[in-house]
């Protein structure tokens, strides 16, 4: 979609320059791509029509006017196709509650996280049973806050929790929408609220996952936009609490500041879960699991090198330690180096095609071990 968006914005910028619109065309174009603003679309098309109808028009004005209009049609058409082909539905997931809990339990590490999620599920399950039996039930919200470094499983757990809430009958649809700052913040005053409302409408009945939520308020130059976003989001947290789960996630310290930025925000969240970093053994288990999923095995000498490397990484880790992302990068490197080596073997055996050796690791990491 970015290709069609950039093409449209590029033509709009050129058209703005040739008709001396002083940024008005660009402003409408930005509103269109940021908030799907219908009024901005009408205004832009009128700007094109007026410019082409002007007696003093030139060929370049006509050509660029048509180019803007055609690229706008392409952008809207492609966007609609994406919406049709990738509907946000939950129905495709057929796992039972027991299967979802088993999948949660199978995640490497995260002992305390799992315990808190199990407690949360038990509480919500019993509260629903109490409501079904006309007993008093607490109206605590379902919204969650996940804190911790990247690659610690926050998104994975969020998806599982959303599926479980659906199985418990707490959500009408159970679909999962992941957004970031760019999906919520607009470039013009007053447009951010509209953008947030559209996201909320899409998410109702399911789970809205806001990754790196602290970025909404960390940009001092657009602080008013961040406040506008939080005001609308905080309202939605309360208005749709019975059929919407919002999970915010991000680094621990920035998330503390995020909750301090709006007095009513923290009170909308009942559950705060800290995701710890993985230790070296847990990281190695994740790598073993990825290899198993993709029909690779690692010879013992290579496993020793990798384990030594992971121990050093954990001991010298910085505040933004990558955790699972580090393992993903190592796995990708291993597979690529394995392919480069095996492609030179004449008639490789099944073992050759699946065994990762020390050489495959040392190509990228020999100077780091």
């Amino acid at each position: 979609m970015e290709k069609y968006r950039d093409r449209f914005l590029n033509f709009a910028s050129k058209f703005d320059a040739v008709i001396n619109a002083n940024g008005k065309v660009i402003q409408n174009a930005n509103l269109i791509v940021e908030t799907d603003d219908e009024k901005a679309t009408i205004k832009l098309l009128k700007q094109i029509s007026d410019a082409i109808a002007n007696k003093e028009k030139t060929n370049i004005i006509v050509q660029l006017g048509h180019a803007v209009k055609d690229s706008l049609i392409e952008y809207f058409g492609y966007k609609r196709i994406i919406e049709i082909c990738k509907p946000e539905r939950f129905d495709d997931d057929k796992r039972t509650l027991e299967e979802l809990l088993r999948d949660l339990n199978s995640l490497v590490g995260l002992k305390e996280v799992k315990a808190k999620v199990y407690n949360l599920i038990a509480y919500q399950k019993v509260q629903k049973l109490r409501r079904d039996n006309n007993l008093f039930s607490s109206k605590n919200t379902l919204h969650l806050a996940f804190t911790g470094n990247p690659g610690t499983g926050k998104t994975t757990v969020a998806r599982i929790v959303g599926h479980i809430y659906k199985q418990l009958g707490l959500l009408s649809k159970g679909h999962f929408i992941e957004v970031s700052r760019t999906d919520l913040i607009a470039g013009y005053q007053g447009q951010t609220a509209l953008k947030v409302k559209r996201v909320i409408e899409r998410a109702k009945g399911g789970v809205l996952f806001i990754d790196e939520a602290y970025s909404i308020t960390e940009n001092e130059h657009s602080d008013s936009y961040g406040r506008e976003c939080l005001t609308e989001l905080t309202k939605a947290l309360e208005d749709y609490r019975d059929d919407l789960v919002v999970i915010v996630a991000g680094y621990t310290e920035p998330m503390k500041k995020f909750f301090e930025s709006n007095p009513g925000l923290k009170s909308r969240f009942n559950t705060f879960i800290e995701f710890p970093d993985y230790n070296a053994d847990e990281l190695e288990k994740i790598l073993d699991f990825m290899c198993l999923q993709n029909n690779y095995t690692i010879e013992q000498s290579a496993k020793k090198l990798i384990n030594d490397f992971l121990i050093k990484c954990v001991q010298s880790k910085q505040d933004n330690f990558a955790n699972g992302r580090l393992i993903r990068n190592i796995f990708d490197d291993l597979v690529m180096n394995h392919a480069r080596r095996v492609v030179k073997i004449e008639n490789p055996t099944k073992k050759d095609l699946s065994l990762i050796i020390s050489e495959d690791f040392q190509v990228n990491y020999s100077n780091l071990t």
Side-chain angles (χ1 to χ4, degrees), residues 229-243:
C229 174
L230 287 188
T231 298
E232 196 62 41
L233 183 61
T234 302
K235 183 176 182 298
L237 289 169
E238 187 64 30
D239 290 349
Y240 307 113
R241 59 186 292 178
D242 293 332
D243 198 25

Side-chain angles (χ1 to χ4, degrees), residues 8-75:
F8 165 59
L9 292 175
N10 181 45
F11 280 130
S13 177
K14 291 179 179 178
F15 185 66
D16 186 280
V18 298
I19 68 171
N20 298 314
N22 298 317
K24 292 180 180 178
V25 170
I26 297 173
Q27 181 177 351
N28 285 324
N30 282 327
L31 286 173
I32 291 168
V33 299
E34 289 179 355
T35 65
D36 292 334
D37 194 304
E38 294 181 0
K39 291 182 179 178
T41 304
I42 295 171
K43 286 181 181 178
L44 177 61
L45 292 173
K46 190 174 187 307
Q47 286 171 326
I48 296 171
S49 178
D50 290 346
I52 292 176
N54 192 313
K55 293 181 180 180
E56 297 179 0
K57 66 180 181 292
T58 61
N59 286 335
I60 189 65
I61 288 177
V62 175
Q63 291 172 3
L64 280 174
H66 287 304
V68 174
K69 186 166 61 175
D70 291 345
S71 62
L72 175 61
I73 293 171
E74 284 181 334
Y75 169 73

Side-chain angles (χ1 to χ4, degrees), residues 1-9 32-34 36 71 74-84 86 183:
M1 185 182 296
E2 289 184 3
K3 178 180 73 173
Y4 294 96
R5 180 198 64 194
D6 293 345
R7 175 182 168 84
F8 165 59
L9 292 175
I32 291 168
V33 299
E34 289 179 355
D36 292 334
S71 62
E74 284 181 334
Y75 169 73
F76 274 139
Y78 186 78
K79 186 175 182 181
R80 179 57 182 151
I81 290 172
I82 291 297
E83 290 173 354
I84 293 171
K86 292 186 177 181
D183 300 300

Side-chain angles (χ1 to χ4, degrees), residues 212-232:
E212 297 182 349
Y214 54 82
S215 64
I216 292 172
T217 56
E218 71 177 359
N219 190 337
E220 294 180 0
H221 298 293
S222 60
D223 185 51
S224 61
Y225 302 147
R227 286 198 300 268
E228 185 181 350
C229 174
L230 287 188
T231 298
E232 196 62 41

Side-chain angles (χ1 to χ4, degrees), residues 282-316:
E282 290 170 341
L283 291 171
E284 188 174 358
K285 286 180 181 178
I286 294 173
L287 180 60
D288 288 341
F289 180 71
M290 293 174 69
C291 288
L292 180 64
Q293 279 188 314
N294 293 275
N295 298 124
Y296 287 98
T297 56
I298 305 177
E299 69 171 6
Q300 286 303 311
S301 59
K303 286 179 74 70
K304 177 65 169 60
L305 287 174
I306 293 171
N307 183 259
D308 290 344
F309 173 71
L310 292 175
I311 290 173
K312 288 183 178 181
C313 287
V314 170
Q315 290 174 342
S316 61

